[in-house]
Amino acid sequence: MQVLKFGGSSVAHSDAIKCICSLLEKKPKGRYAIVVSALENITDQLIQCGELASERRNIYKNILEQIEIRHLNIIRELFPITYQSHLISWIKKNINDLESLCDGIFQVEELSKRSLDKIMSFGELSSSFLIAEKLKQFGLDAICKDSRDLIITDSQFGCAQIDFITSNHHIIQFFRKKTSEYIVLPGFIGSTLENETTTLGRGGSDYTAAILASAISASLLEIWTDVSGMMTANPKIVNQAFPIKEISYEEAMELSHFGAKVIYPPTIHPAMKKHIPIQIKNTFSPIDPGTLIYINKNTNISQPVTGISGIQNMALLTLEGSGMVGIPGYSKRLFEALLREKINVIFITQSSSEHSITTGIHETDIIKAKTVIDSEFSQEIHQRRLDPLRIEKDLCIIAVVGDNMKNLHGTSGKMFSALGRNSINVRAIAQGSTEKNISAVIRKTDFKKALNTLHEAFFESPPKQINLFICGVGKVGSKLMEQIDQQQNYLLKELKLQVRVIGLANSKKMYFNDHGINLNDWEKNLNQKGINMNIYSFMEKVWKFNLRNSLFVDNTASEEMAMTYDKFLKNGIGVITCNKIACSSDYDHYKRLKTLSRHFKAPFLFETNVGASLPVISTLNDLINSGDKINKIEAVLSGSLNFIFNHFLGKKSFLEVVKEAQLKGYTEPDPRIDLSGLDVMRKILILARECGSPLELSDIHQKSFLPETCSNSISIEDFYQKLHRYRDYFFKIRNEAEKYKKRLRFIARYENGEASVGLESILQIHPFFQLEGKDNMVLYNTYRYAEQPLIIKGAGAGAEVTASGVFSDIIKATK
């Protein structure tokens, strides 16, 4: 029999239930105990409801109504109408019970831990009930069992201790009698012998699963959560972190003790006692291998460190004095004093001279610790045999963990050398007697820097490997591949970068090679070995590779592709794009992408959105970041339109020039985007947003030079026919400009929070007059560049220059 635990608070409840049921349908035949934790963020609401119940009735009633509405919506989404009636009745009855409990709290004006435990149990009970009912609807043999009937605890509400003898007896007796294929149980909760509801504290649902697995001697304990296993480091801090495939019980406990929150030490103990493997899997990405925790992992002697972890917001307490030397009992008294106040000791180190003892605790316990230690040693401090307790705050602890560290020399030297080279001062050091853990206390401000430094030291070696996943291999994409191939040796020699293309895709095919695609025959492999392209399958492949320093490169003009950037950024994968759609979409979406980039430390670079390879956006960012103020932007931002109006000469018709520009690759695949002004509108919108303006595309004033019927063309061919029909109209526009010795330029402007685009006739004195070919020009009029604008000028269209801009962004992203 297997025990499966499901949970994860970062997704909608209904989506989670669908994923769980889908996974269970695919499981091989057998008996499964399914332990469920609250699958949406209702726990915080329930706690808030209890806290407010002792103060204001109307607020907690509103929260109860929200919880009820949410559950009713979930039922309506998951179940057919004929199946809903008894489910709704069950939910409403429980909401009524919850309301009665809150009313009682309101009457006595006090929220006890006992009452809060009962309130918090609602989330698990409702989640497990709904999952069991959904399994029944699928025709599966499933029942729901209240864990409070099986797991017996003491009356330490909020973090109850298990009565294993009684609990094991109840569990064994129940599973002997019940032969259902799926038995769904709520996690996190138990009960006293007096049937009072209790909760098991942090990680309580995982703990429930481990208790069940141990009692029934399960063959495997699976923890299904919302991350893909234990990582070599916190992926929110270390972008290069990757899942640990195999880990021993001891290593897992060490990592979890030092901040790896995927699994908590109490969960490991029951499984470890019975040698039951623990598999950590991602409910929402089941193809990910996850992490297997068991007694005999496959060892790799050359890799001493399995993972790196850490705890922030720590304080060091140092008790020292000459009166301690050679006198027994000081350590005992110190730790007994901390025990009386239930203060958890995270870190211990003692000088060999016995002159001092240093312990690490959470900052939240500082006041309690100082009070109890000062009281315990008041006489010694008064007699000056001990110094007053020294407290150091704003610290953190980092730990490197690995079973193999004891077998290899130099691990600690490598650790502290790496920290030293990066100016990270170590305040205290501890190493366990088993040599599976080396811990160091450093400043809290160095936490992120230290984790990244150690991860690089133990898991990465020069040259730095950059893994690219490229969508779009047309004119720009193929030129990019050429440039990467040409520069491989230079990048490796001069920049210590090994750039590998792992995945390639066009609109029809996608091809992957985890060793890197040969850039000499990529087109052949893509066409002959590629599989059908689907952006979601493409993303799944990227997630499965899970390679460090991964970058997604979008060379397309696809809206669907542009709308996937957030998923890459949330997975710590940088996005490099010449596709303007994402940054010119809704402002909220643009800001979300920028925020995700910062939050997940994943680069999001789009220099080629404006001006191809010209440093238009980077220059603007440098001006703003250095404190300059942008007063006005004037720009010719369409290399294609500039080429068209520069070559619209003599007897050449406007249509002929447009086709010539398209043939040379200066226009978008659909030239209507350029001629309508939409492309320029997107570009000036992006510049305005980089200046901090929350403009939308609809806010930009546009004066179209195209006849209305051309703008409404239903196809490219229809558009060309209409351009031919209006040839005299375009000759008239050109001749009118030439009559006054002017030139036609399609100009974009941004000033005072407003943006506009349109075709203008300009005189010789204007800087735009001399623009040739497909050149772009941007004038930045700023506080510092007030008398003469800062000018950026150069080729603003063409596959080769655009590809070089994308390549430049790739190199920037590696830094």
Side-chain angles (χ1 to χ4, degrees):
M1 187 170 183
Q2 291 186 17
V3 177
L4 285 66
K5 180 267 176 181
F6 288 97
S9 59
S10 64
V11 294
H13 198 152
S14 55
D15 290 342
I17 292 175
K18 289 176 185 175
C19 287
I20 290 169
C21 292
S22 174
L23 284 169
L24 292 175
E25 280 187 295
K26 297 173 184 176
K27 283 285 180 185
K29 288 292 183 181
R31 293 186 71 200
Y32 297 92
I34 314 298
V35 177
V36 181
S37 64
L39 297 168
E40 58 177 328
N41 283 325
I42 62 168
T43 302
D44 289 341
Q45 278 191 301
L46 289 168
I47 293 172
Q48 184 186 23
C49 191
E51 291 171 343
L52 291 170
S54 60
E55 300 174 7
R56 298 178 63 183
R57 175 176 284 171
N58 61 324
I59 298 181
Y60 78 74
K61 283 186 177 291
N62 287 338
I63 295 174
L64 287 173
E65 287 176 7
Q66 293 172 19
I67 293 173
E68 181 176 0
I69 290 169
R70 188 176 300 176
H71 280 81
L72 294 178
N73 288 338
I74 289 166
I75 290 171
R76 293 185 181 109
E77 182 180 346
L78 288 175
F79 298 94
I81 294 176
T82 55
Y83 209 91
Q84 292 176 10
S85 178
H86 79 283
L87 302 179
I88 292 173
S89 298
W90 190 92
I91 290 293
K92 288 192 172 184
K93 177 184 178 301
N94 278 269
I95 292 288
N96 290 338
D97 292 344
L98 188 57
E99 184 173 2
S100 297
L101 178 58
C102 290
D103 285 340
I105 294 168
F106 179 78
Q107 295 297 329
V108 299
E109 297 183 354
E110 181 182 351
L111 175 63
S112 66
K113 288 186 177 180
R114 176 184 298 185
S115 298
L116 185 58
D117 273 4
K118 197 163 186 180
I119 288 172
M120 291 172 65
S121 69
F122 178 83
E124 268 67 25
L125 289 167
S126 62
S127 298
S128 52
F129 172 74
L130 290 174
I131 288 175
E133 292 299 315
K134 187 64 179 176
L135 292 174
K136 288 179 188 176
Q137 189 215 327
F138 284 153
L140 300 176
D141 179 18
I143 62 169
C144 183
K145 176 63 177 175
D146 192 334
S147 300
R148 293 175 295 185
D149 298 336
L150 305 179
I151 296 179
I152 307 303
T153 72
D154 63 12
S155 56
Q156 188 177 323
F157 298 100
C159 190
Q161 300 300 306
I162 306 295
D163 178 348
F164 280 98
I165 294 175
T166 308
S167 298
N168 287 346
H169 175 73
H170 287 184
I171 292 167
I172 293 168
Q173 291 301 314
F174 171 77
F175 279 95
R176 279 178 180 170
K177 293 176 183 177
K178 295 293 181 179
T179 58
S180 299
E181 186 176 3
Y182 296 103
I183 301 172
V184 184
L185 307 100
F188 183 58
I189 60 174
S191 71
T192 66
L193 288 171
E194 293 76 29
N195 292 323
E196 292 284 354
T197 299
T198 58
T199 59
L200 306 185
R202 202 172 188 182
S205 294
D206 291 355
Y207 193 23
T208 301
I211 293 165
L212 290 169
S214 177
I216 61 178
S217 298
S219 59
L220 179 67
L221 168 58
E222 293 185 3
I223 306 291
W224 289 84
T225 181
D226 53 5
V227 293
S228 297
M230 299 189 77
M231 309 287 279
T232 50
N234 185 339
K236 293 180 180 179
I237 298 173
V238 181
N239 292 338
Q240 292 78 24
F242 52 90
I244 302 169
K245 291 184 179 180
E246 297 178 354
I247 189 171
S248 70
Y249 294 118
E250 292 85 356
E251 288 174 322
M253 282 193 288
E254 290 283 356
L255 285 174
S256 60
H257 174 72
F258 284 99
K261 297 178 181 178
V262 176
I263 191 168
Y264 292 96
T267 301
I268 300 172
H269 283 290
M272 180 179 175
K273 187 177 179 181
K274 290 283 191 77
H275 294 178
I276 299 169
I278 303 172
Q279 182 88 47
I280 300 174
K281 297 280 284 182
N282 190 334
T283 311
F284 311 102
S285 186
I287 61 172
D288 289 354
T291 298
L292 182 64
I293 306 171
Y294 63 121
I295 193 165
N296 290 318
K297 69 163 191 171
N298 294 326
T299 57
N300 180 1
I301 299 299
S302 63
Q303 180 57 57
V305 175
T306 300
I308 304 166
S309 192
I311 302 173
Q312 299 191 71
N313 304 315
M314 250 194 63
L316 280 185
L317 310 178
T318 300
L319 188 69
E320 63 181 335
S322 57
M324 294 176 61
V325 179
I327 307 298
Y330 275 96
S331 299
K332 177 178 181 291
R333 290 170 61 192
L334 173 63
F335 295 119
E336 282 183 346
L338 294 172
L339 176 63
R340 286 197 296 272
E341 291 296 320
K342 296 182 172 57
I343 295 171
N344 183 41
V345 176
I346 304 168
F347 176 97
I348 305 170
T349 185
Q350 183 172 13
S351 65
S352 58
S353 66
E354 301 181 33
H355 182 263
S356 66
I357 303 174
T358 298
T359 60
I361 63 171
H362 286 287
E363 282 188 347
T364 52
D365 292 327
I366 287 176
I367 295 175
K368 286 194 300 181
K370 178 172 173 52
T371 302
V372 72
I373 293 172
D374 283 347
S375 174
E376 176 67 33
F377 297 101
S378 58
Q379 184 175 351
E380 287 86 346
I381 293 171
H382 178 71
Q383 295 171 351
R384 298 190 176 181
R385 286 186 284 160
L386 290 181
D387 297 333
L389 183 69
R390 188 169 76 246
I391 300 173
E392 297 172 73
K393 298 187 289 184
D394 297 321
L395 300 172
C396 64
I397 185 169
I398 51 173
V400 295
V401 174
D403 284 344
N404 293 328
M405 292 198 302
K406 62 185 177 182
N407 299 319
L408 285 175
H409 301 293
T411 303
S412 58
K414 188 175 183 179
M415 173 182 178
F416 295 115
S417 294
L419 295 175
R421 284 195 304 271
N422 287 275
S423 303
I424 299 170
N425 184 48
V426 175
R427 175 60 192 84
I429 302 167
Q431 183 169 10
S433 58
T434 60
E435 298 185 50
K436 295 180 180 180
N437 177 326
I438 305 173
S439 307
V441 177
I442 61 174
R443 291 181 304 174
K444 187 164 63 176
T445 52
D446 286 331
F447 185 69
K448 178 183 173 183
K449 184 179 180 182
L451 285 181
N452 278 277
T453 297
L454 294 178
H455 195 275
E456 183 177 41
F458 287 107
F459 296 104
E460 303 163 44
S461 58
K464 189 174 184 180
Q465 191 178 89
I466 310 301
N467 300 296
L468 303 182
F469 296 88
I470 300 175
C471 280
V473 288
K475 293 178 180 178
V476 173
S478 58
K479 286 293 181 183
L480 175 62
M481 303 288 278
E482 283 180 26
Q483 292 171 10
I484 293 173
D485 190 31
Q486 290 169 3
Q487 287 295 101
Q488 287 278 24
N489 292 334
Y490 174 85
L491 293 175
L492 193 60
K493 182 179 178 181
E494 300 297 330
L495 300 181
K496 305 300 181 191
L497 293 176
Q498 182 187 17
V499 179
R500 306 189 309 167
V501 179
I502 304 298
L504 273 180
N506 57 23
S507 59
K508 296 179 181 178
K509 296 276 189 178
M510 58 182 181
Y511 171 67
F512 299 89
N513 187 323
D514 56 357
H515 298 296
I517 294 170
N518 187 333
L519 300 186
N520 293 317
D521 59 358
W522 64 266
E523 197 167 2
K524 175 184 174 183
N525 284 321
L526 178 62
N527 293 329
Q528 295 182 1
K529 299 180 181 179
I531 58 176
N532 290 337
M533 170 58 178
N534 176 283
I535 183 56
Y536 298 103
S537 299
F538 185 90
M539 286 191 292
E540 276 193 13
K541 278 280 191 181
V542 177
W543 311 157
K544 189 174 181 180
F545 278 115
N546 198 27
L547 298 171
R548 67 188 188 277
N549 303 323
S550 292
L551 295 173
F552 171 65
V553 182
D554 180 15
N555 299 315
T556 74
S558 162
E559 181 174 1
E560 183 185 22
M561 201 73 70
M563 293 301 107
T564 65
Y565 296 170
D566 60 335
K567 297 177 179 61
F568 285 101
L569 294 172
K570 282 192 288 187
N571 279 275
I573 296 171
V575 175
I576 312 297
T577 180
C578 59
N579 186 339
K580 307 173 191 68
I581 293 175
C583 289
S584 60
S585 61
D586 293 343
Y587 180 75
D588 288 343
H589 182 68
Y590 159 82
K591 287 297 291 183
R592 172 174 162 76
L593 294 178
K594 301 277 279 190
T595 301
L596 287 173
S597 174
R598 288 193 299 271
H599 182 73
F600 291 99
K601 305 297 183 290
F604 176 43
L605 300 177
F606 45 92
E607 183 70 74
T608 48
N609 277 195
V610 183
S613 65
L614 295 177
V616 176
I617 294 175
S618 58
T619 301
L620 177 61
N621 290 333
D622 288 343
L623 290 171
I624 294 170
N625 293 338
S626 64
D628 205 352
K629 180 182 178 182
I630 307 299
N631 297 324
K632 181 170 67 173
I633 300 174
E634 286 185 289
V636 171
L637 294 173
S638 174
S640 54
L641 285 176
N642 203 45
F643 176 89
I644 288 168
F645 287 116
N646 277 329
H647 288 76
F648 185 27
L649 303 169
K651 294 182 180 180
K652 271 188 179 180
S653 71
F654 190 70
L655 172 60
E656 287 175 322
V657 181
V658 170
K659 286 188 173 182
E660 182 183 352
Q662 188 186 33
L663 186 65
K664 291 179 179 290
Y666 297 154
T667 70
E668 297 286 342
D670 184 348
R672 290 175 294 178
I673 296 174
D674 296 282
L675 271 69
S676 69
L678 177 60
D679 186 59
V680 177
M681 289 172 69
R682 286 172 173 166
K683 291 175 179 178
I684 194 63
L685 176 66
I686 292 168
L687 293 183
R689 287 177 171 179
E690 291 295 291
C691 290
S693 179
L695 286 178
E696 299 287 359
L697 196 62
S698 57
D699 296 328
I700 297 176
H701 306 291
Q702 181 199 19
K703 184 179 179 182
S704 176
F705 67 91
L706 290 177
E708 188 174 348
T709 54
C710 292
S711 300
N712 296 330
S713 301
I714 59 174
S715 66
I716 297 176
E717 187 59 37
D718 179 46
F719 179 64
Y720 284 156
Q721 290 176 4
K722 288 175 179 176
L723 290 184
H724 177 72
R725 190 186 310 163
Y726 282 91
R727 57 183 294 162
D728 293 339
Y729 165 81
F730 294 110
F731 278 128
K732 183 179 177 182
I733 292 176
R734 187 193 70 184
N735 294 338
E736 187 71 20
E738 290 177 347
K739 178 180 176 182
Y740 296 99
K741 297 183 179 181
K742 295 182 177 181
R743 286 187 176 178
L744 295 173
R745 296 288 182 260
F746 197 85
I747 298 174
R749 287 188 170 84
Y750 171 71
E751 186 175 10
N752 297 324
E754 295 187 353
S756 62
V757 300
L759 186 65
E760 299 180 25
S761 299
I762 58 169
L763 294 168
Q764 292 183 8
I765 59 173
H766 198 288
F768 293 157
F769 188 88
Q770 300 298 334
L771 273 178
E772 299 295 336
K774 60 183 182 297
D775 283 357
N776 279 189
M777 182 181 285
V778 180
L779 310 181
Y780 286 132
N781 187 291
T782 74
Y783 174 78
R784 294 174 187 156
Y785 294 89
E787 295 182 6
Q788 291 291 332
L790 175 62
I791 298 176
I792 300 172
K793 177 185 174 185
E800 189 154 4
V801 292
T802 302
S804 70
V806 173
F807 195 8
S808 177
D809 274 352
I810 290 170
I811 296 171
K812 286 178 189 175
T814 66
K815 300 176 182 178

